[in-house]
């Protein structure tokens, strides 16, 4: 029963991690989502799912009657690395490039955890931390570039006139609210201009 549970957990968390046969959602999520969400996906969500998978791997390794999770993790890690390498070769969209880069990094980490041993586990954990920090920093540093390249999710909201207090609330009441804000600004400027 523990073996079946691990297979299903591996499929579920492997999908969240973005391992190669289960990765279909990750490039689309990065490309279509706003840059801060992409940073959270790469820096936090993938690593949390991988940490949960690692905890279940430790439970299986402690039970001698269970299957060895290492070979399955090594296989899927290598498949992820090879697949992502081929997909990175001719990628033009930088957000998709970062997504396939995350798939490749997760494959390397899963491969290290599948190998087992103290050195491989340390290398996997170190790679997880560095991937989190650097990928999030890249997304935040390149955010103006994404907006310039026309990513829809990174364009300014047309309902905001540069000021979040001017957000239109919809077809009703938006113009009245805008007039009230404009009147308040006019009074403020008239009172404090001298």
């Amino acid at each position: 029963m523990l073996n079946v549970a691990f297979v299903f957990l591996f499929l579920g968390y492997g999908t969240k991690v973005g391992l190669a046969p289960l990765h279909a959602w990750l490039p689309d999520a990065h490309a279509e989502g706003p840059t801060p969400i992409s940073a959270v996906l790469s820096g936090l969500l993938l690593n949390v799912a991988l940490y949960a998978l690692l905890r279940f791997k430790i439970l299986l390794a402690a039970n001698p009657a269970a299957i060895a999770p290492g070979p399955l993790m090594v296989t899927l890690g290598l498949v992820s690395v090879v697949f992502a390498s081929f997909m990175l070769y001719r990628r033009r969209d930088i957000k998709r490039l970062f997504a396939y880069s995350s798939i490749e990094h997760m494959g390397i980490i899963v491969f290290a955890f599948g190998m087992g041993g103290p050195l491989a586990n340390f290398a996997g954990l170190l790679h997880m931390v560095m991937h989190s920090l650097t990928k999030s920093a890249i997304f935040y540093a390149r955010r103006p570039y994404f907006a310039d390249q026309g990513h829809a999710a990174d364009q300014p909201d047309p309902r905001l006139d540069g000021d979040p207090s001017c957000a239109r609330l919809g077809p009703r009441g938006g113009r009245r609210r805008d007039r009230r804000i404009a009147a308040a600004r006019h009074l403020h400027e008239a009172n404090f201009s001298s």
Side-chain angles (χ1 to χ4, degrees), residues 3 8 13 17 21 35 37 41 49 67 95 99 102 111 125 127 155 169 172 175 182:
N3 297 335
F8 283 119
Y13 283 118
V17 170
T35 301
I37 300 302
L41 280 175
I67 61 170
K95 288 178 104 176
S102 291
F111 175 79
L125 288 173
H127 199 104
Q155 295 300 320
L169 300 175
R172 292 174 150 190
R175 292 183 187 214

Side-chain angles (χ1 to χ4, degrees), residues 115-133:
M115 293 298 291
L119 186 60
N121 287 336
F122 174 75
L125 288 173
L126 182 66
H127 199 104
M128 279 176 71
V129 170
M130 292 299 115
H131 176 263
S132 257
L133 296 175

Side-chain angles (χ1 to χ4, degrees), residues 137-157:
I138 286 171
F139 271 110
Y140 282 118
R142 299 303 294 173
R143 185 170 185 191
Y145 172 80
F146 297 139
D148 291 342
Q149 295 300 312
H151 287 275
D154 292 312
Q155 295 300 320
D157 192 349

Side-chain angles (χ1 to χ4, degrees), residues 53-118:
L53 191 60
L54 180 62
R55 289 186 57 134
F56 288 110
K57 184 230 180 210
I58 291 170
L59 287 175
L60 250 70
N63 189 351
I67 61 170
L72 179 63
M73 292 179 80
V74 165
T75 303
L76 284 179
L78 284 177
V79 168
S80 296
V81 168
V82 170
F83 176 78
S85 299
F86 283 119
M87 294 305 290
L88 281 169
Y89 181 63
R90 304 223 23 196
R91 196 59 42 203
R92 295 281 183 239
D93 184 11
I94 193 164
K95 288 178 104 176
R96 286 187 186 273
L97 179 104
F98 286 156
Y100 284 112
S101 170
S102 291
I103 292 170
E104 185 179 24
H105 283 272
M106 291 298 123
I108 292 169
I109 296 167
V110 168
F111 175 79
F113 287 143
M115 293 298 291

